[in-house]
Amino acid sequence: MHTINTTTGSQDPIDPNRNLDPDQYPHRNPSHTQSRRPRGFAATAAAASMGQADSDVNNGNITGETSSGGGGKGKREREKEKERTKLRERHRRAITSRMLAGLRQYGNFPLPARADMNDVIAALAREAGWSVDADGTTYRQSHQSNHVVQFPTRSIESPLSSSTLKNCAKAALECQQQHPSLRIDENLSPVSLDSVVIAESDHPGNGRYTGASPIPSVGCVDANQLIQDVHSTERRNDYTENFYVPVYAMLPVGVIDNFGQLVDPQGVRQELSYMKSLNVDGVVIDCWWGIVEGWNPQKYVWSGYRELFNLIRDFKLKLQVVMAFHEYGGNASGNVMISLPQWVLEIGKDNPDIFFTDREGRRSFECMNWSIDKERVLHGRTGIEVYFDFMRSFRSDFDDLFVEGMIAAIEIGLGASGELKYPSFPERMGWIYPGIGEFQCYDKYSQTSLLKEAKARGFAFWGKGPENAGQYNSQPHETGFFQERGEYDSYYGRFFLNWYSQLLIGHAENVLSLANLAFEETKIIVKIPAIYWSYKTASHAAELTAGYYNPSNRDGYSPVFETLKKYSVTVKFVCPGPQMSSNEHEEALADPEGLSWQVVNAAWDKGLLIGGENAITCFDREGCMRLIEMAKPRNHPDSYHFSFFTYRQPSPLVQGSTCFADLDYFIKRMHGDLQR
């Protein structure tokens, strides 16, 4: 087990030399800090900074206090004690958060997103070889390498006589003679004879099995019942294998051209035939804003999509339709190029601030700036009105498919690449993995919003973006903002990052509220990105620039999922693929498994349904197994699993390709038709 660093990544919040936030602590002078009594780990971490503070308090050197008014003085003391309590609690939480992050990242402990002390103790106990049941029952497993069937043990107060124990032992020995596959562990004490039976098996690879059936009386256990419990536990461990997870295949982007026409009907028909032979449940289609409303505002061309949907209907496949409000082809996307609508680009020539802007003033045309969601800069319409009109037009034109139930879900594109994120990693700007990216908030609308928020806090000089956050291909340790104990965790840093992430959450809320109106009771899907590089650093720099305020001492996904839950959204998570070697992941400080674990469990903790999508277009049997394990966790206590999976395929998918056989296996496993 790895050694966990329990020290905090930020300065001690009670350091008298540190600038305190006057907005949160208006009655405190930063030069003189009140005494406090930290406990536990906090006492050790805060000892150095406590000395001066205690001395000031004992000498009465506290600015702003007067000796007049006994009642007023008592009230001020109570208020100060409340502040001290808040600081102690904040410091304690910071330490706890870092401990949990270390256990997850370096110890591979499966702790929930909001773990408490019970979760930590249970994980440590299991690591030490103990067994912990869901109700908290904890017991020591036998060190034998054989298979154990564990039943609830009797308490010391149980009325168990010595004669009963002898009868139990005798019956157990008879059971062993009749059933050679069972034997009693000779090292067990007499009190344990009625509770533990060791099972031997000639089949390698089997694990330990935990029986759930209590023993109803003080009599001995029938061997047949023991064997039945073993087999029932085997079935329970494979229970998630039987879940049916629908699989959707994504059609290639180029099936509809830039004029809104279906390019190759016969080729599409052949593609659909292959998909049907694989027993996929449906297909995913991107409806591109830049094509449908490409030339004139509120002039929608759906004819090509109507022809395509009719072909899909002939094969009796379900549809998931993506409202694609982003460009395609700006990064490494092949020969197909789909831009934002031409009339939007024309507006951008006169008003380039409708696009996201980096610190150097370079504009990103991947999607529209979220800061114009409520600005009437698009021929008299706001950003969210443009999105709503597009969605409403689709709902009206394809009403028959909604009535038939052919359209199973609508995915709403909320940012770059259709994912809920800022366009912080643009390859056309020179970004290369694993660069941390750049903040995208230097347009006039975002800067106005930031300055307004800073003035509301009473710190107008905070109303600008960071100056020391590096460039697209920087590494966290190379920047003053993202480095260990960097400015990201200062008062300004926390203010800025909170504002930056709230802009992302606010955009999601604005668009989803209208999507619910347009599509009524149809399932809504939102895609969440997998930004797993720099995940092993304290700042999680790449996630911060993408809009997820998720450093090692803060959960940045739960606030996002809390908003999605309000609109009953299904989350689609882009599952990281094995395209990088372990050495490359180490150099990038990447942790795909750690990020996936956090995101998936945070969504489940909020009660959200979650689906998946592969990040790479082709994978072997090992890659299939990895995705299956993520979609259908083998030992999840609540039997959670993905509600669907979207397969991004090579273009086009052809029978006999290297991916085809493994894809067939993958779909059968997802459908529960094959077992391990």
Side-chain angles (χ1 to χ4, degrees):
M1 181 171 172
H2 297 277
T3 301
I4 308 304
N5 185 358
T6 59
T7 59
T8 62
S10 59
Q11 299 178 12
D12 191 325
I14 65 164
D15 187 347
N17 298 318
R18 183 172 181 174
N19 293 329
L20 296 178
D21 187 349
D23 187 48
Q24 296 183 2
Y25 312 104
H27 60 284
R28 299 185 64 172
N29 187 322
S31 301
H32 304 285
T33 308
Q34 300 297 314
S35 65
R36 68 178 205 173
R37 295 187 181 91
R39 288 172 282 184
F41 287 104
T44 303
S49 59
M50 281 292 297
Q52 183 62 42
D54 288 338
S55 175
D56 289 343
V57 174
N58 294 333
N59 295 330
N61 298 328
I62 299 185
T63 304
E65 284 206 19
T66 63
S67 59
S68 61
K73 183 176 180 180
K75 182 177 181 181
R76 286 193 296 272
E77 287 295 336
R78 289 193 297 272
E79 292 296 325
K80 290 170 185 174
E81 180 59 32
K82 288 181 181 179
E83 293 298 334
R84 289 194 289 269
T85 301
K86 289 180 182 178
L87 284 174
R88 287 194 295 268
E89 179 64 16
R90 180 177 179 182
H91 193 61
R92 183 190 66 79
R93 289 181 178 177
I95 291 175
T96 302
S97 176
R98 291 181 183 279
M99 292 174 66
L100 295 177
L103 287 170
R104 292 188 185 107
Q105 293 181 25
Y106 307 116
N108 295 322
F109 284 92
L111 297 175
R114 293 190 176 276
D116 59 17
M117 192 54 63
N118 289 341
D119 298 313
V120 176
I121 293 173
L124 293 173
R126 293 188 182 103
E127 180 72 13
W130 292 75
S131 294
V132 182
D133 291 341
D135 62 356
T137 302
T138 304
Y139 48 89
R140 185 74 170 179
Q141 289 278 25
S142 171
H143 292 289
Q144 301 282 344
S145 62
N146 308 83
H147 305 153
V148 177
V149 180
Q150 188 78 28
F151 294 92
T153 59
R154 303 180 188 282
S155 64
I156 296 176
E157 294 80 6
S158 296
L160 201 60
S161 66
S162 60
S163 62
T164 304
L165 287 174
K166 292 178 181 178
N167 291 335
C168 283
K170 180 180 179 181
L173 291 174
E174 293 175 354
C175 290
Q176 181 182 355
Q177 294 174 357
Q178 297 174 9
H179 302 275
S181 62
L182 299 174
R183 71 175 180 84
I184 304 297
D185 186 357
E186 298 172 356
N187 296 323
L188 294 175
S189 63
V191 179
S192 304
L193 287 176
D194 66 330
S195 60
V196 179
V197 175
I198 306 298
E200 294 182 336
S201 174
D202 294 331
H203 300 286
N206 291 340
R208 292 190 176 99
Y209 300 102
T210 302
S213 302
I215 301 176
S217 68
V218 298
C220 296
V221 180
D222 180 71
N224 292 326
Q225 179 64 38
L226 289 176
I227 296 173
Q228 181 180 354
D229 285 333
V230 171
H231 292 312
S232 66
T233 308
E234 286 178 328
R235 290 192 297 269
R236 185 162 57 253
N237 282 342
D238 289 334
Y239 178 57
T240 54
E241 287 288 326
N242 298 323
F243 285 128
Y244 187 97
V245 176
V247 177
Y248 289 77
M250 182 173 288
L251 282 181
V253 172
V255 293
I256 302 292
D257 64 19
N258 285 330
F259 298 97
Q261 303 302 311
L262 183 61
V263 174
D264 181 11
Q266 187 58 37
V268 171
R269 185 177 292 276
Q270 184 181 23
E271 187 94 352
L272 294 173
S273 177
Y274 287 154
M275 292 179 182
K276 189 68 175 178
S277 69
L278 290 168
N279 291 319
V280 300
D281 297 88
V283 295
V284 180
I285 302 294
D286 292 300
C287 282
W288 295 96
W289 180 37
I291 291 177
V292 176
E293 196 183 359
W295 304 100
N296 296 293
Q298 295 182 284
K299 301 294 184 183
Y300 307 102
V301 180
W302 297 109
S303 57
Y305 285 102
R306 169 60 73 176
E307 186 178 356
L308 175 60
F309 293 166
N310 286 338
L311 286 178
I312 296 170
R313 175 192 275 161
D314 292 340
F315 287 90
K316 296 181 171 55
L317 294 170
K318 294 286 187 180
L319 261 177
Q320 285 186 4
V321 182
V322 181
M323 302 286 101
F325 296 111
H326 58 284
E327 77 164 7
Y328 182 88
N331 293 327
S333 304
N335 298 323
V336 179
M337 178 67 190
I338 302 173
S339 68
L340 297 182
Q342 293 300 314
W343 59 272
V344 172
L345 298 178
E346 288 296 324
I347 294 174
K349 291 179 180 179
D350 297 326
N351 182 12
D353 291 290
I354 68 172
F355 302 116
F356 285 105
T357 308
D358 65 18
R359 189 164 58 90
E360 300 295 328
R362 292 167 293 190
R363 314 288 181 173
S364 170
F365 304 107
E366 290 190 57
C367 58
M368 284 203 306
N369 187 355
W370 301 336
S371 293
I372 66 167
D373 277 356
K374 297 183 179 181
E375 299 284 343
R376 295 195 175 278
V377 294
L378 301 172
H379 292 317
R381 292 188 294 168
T382 65
I384 56 175
E385 287 174 348
V386 168
Y387 302 140
F388 179 64
D389 290 342
F390 182 85
M391 293 186 290
R392 185 171 54 181
S393 173
F394 178 84
R395 179 63 180 82
S396 175
D397 274 55
F398 297 101
D399 179 69
D400 57 319
L401 302 184
F402 284 95
V403 173
E404 291 177 17
M406 180 179 168
I407 296 180
I410 299 292
E411 181 180 324
I412 308 298
L414 292 175
S417 302
E419 302 167 352
L420 181 56
K421 68 176 182 182
Y422 285 88
S424 300
F425 315 110
E427 293 181 9
R428 63 168 51 158
M429 303 290 187
W431 174 83
I432 302 173
Y433 175 90
I436 60 176
E438 289 192 24
F439 292 115
Q440 303 290 316
C441 61
Y442 294 88
D443 60 276
K444 68 179 181 182
Y445 299 106
S446 298
Q447 289 294 297
T448 299
S449 171
L450 178 59
L451 181 60
K452 180 180 178 181
E453 190 71 19
K455 288 181 177 179
R457 290 288 305 275
F459 301 96
F461 58 92
W462 282 359
K464 59 181 181 179
E467 299 292 335
N468 57 347
Q471 298 178 342
Y472 285 111
N473 293 317
S474 298
Q475 294 303 303
H477 66 275
E478 299 171 347
T479 72
F481 193 83
F482 296 117
Q483 68 182 356
E484 186 78 20
R485 299 177 182 270
E487 194 175 2
Y488 79 92
D489 204 28
S490 66
Y491 286 115
Y492 162 72
R494 291 196 292 270
F495 161 78
F496 171 78
L497 292 172
N498 185 69
W499 168 83
Y500 192 70
S501 64
Q502 285 299 319
L503 197 61
L504 175 145
I505 294 174
H507 173 68
E509 187 153 19
N510 289 336
V511 178
L512 291 176
S513 62
L514 296 178
N516 270 0
L517 290 177
F519 298 114
E520 300 175 330
E521 297 182 359
T522 305
K523 180 166 70 175
I524 301 295
I525 297 172
V526 169
K527 188 189 292 188
I528 300 297
I531 306 170
Y532 51 81
W533 55 102
S534 300
Y535 192 81
K536 290 184 177 179
T537 65
S539 62
H540 291 207
E543 290 173 276
L544 297 186
T545 60
Y548 289 88
Y549 189 8
N550 189 55
S552 60
N553 60 353
R554 188 180 189 276
D555 179 9
Y557 291 93
S558 288
V560 176
F561 293 152
E562 193 68 46
T563 297
L564 300 186
K565 183 180 179 181
K566 290 168 56 177
Y567 301 100
S568 302
V569 165
T570 296
V571 171
K572 179 196 281 188
F573 179 60
V574 181
C575 305
Q579 67 268 37
M580 296 292 176
S581 67
S582 58
N583 289 337
E584 289 173 315
H585 280 322
E586 285 297 324
E587 293 175 2
L589 296 170
D591 188 2
E593 293 79 10
L595 173 73
S596 301
W597 187 93
Q598 181 187 2
V599 173
V600 170
N601 283 279
W604 279 335
D605 285 349
K606 291 298 180 182
L608 293 171
L609 295 176
I610 186 165
E613 177 179 311
N614 54 308
I616 58 174
T617 57
C618 190
F619 42 81
D620 55 14
R621 186 62 57 91
E622 181 182 352
C624 286
M625 296 301 297
R626 187 179 292 107
L627 291 175
I628 292 165
E629 183 62 33
M630 183 181 296
K632 304 166 78 170
R634 184 170 172 77
N635 292 314
H636 197 287
D638 298 311
S639 300
Y640 286 158
H641 58 281
F642 282 8
S643 62
F644 69 91
F645 192 91
T646 298
Y647 175 68
R648 289 180 56 213
Q649 56 174 313
S651 179
L653 176 66
V654 292
Q655 194 164 12
S657 69
T658 57
C659 300
F660 199 86
D662 288 318
L663 178 57
D664 180 50
Y665 169 81
F666 174 75
I667 293 173
K668 289 178 179 177
R669 286 293 302 276
M670 283 294 193
H671 287 171
D673 296 334
L674 289 177
Q675 302 295 318
R676 278 182 173 82

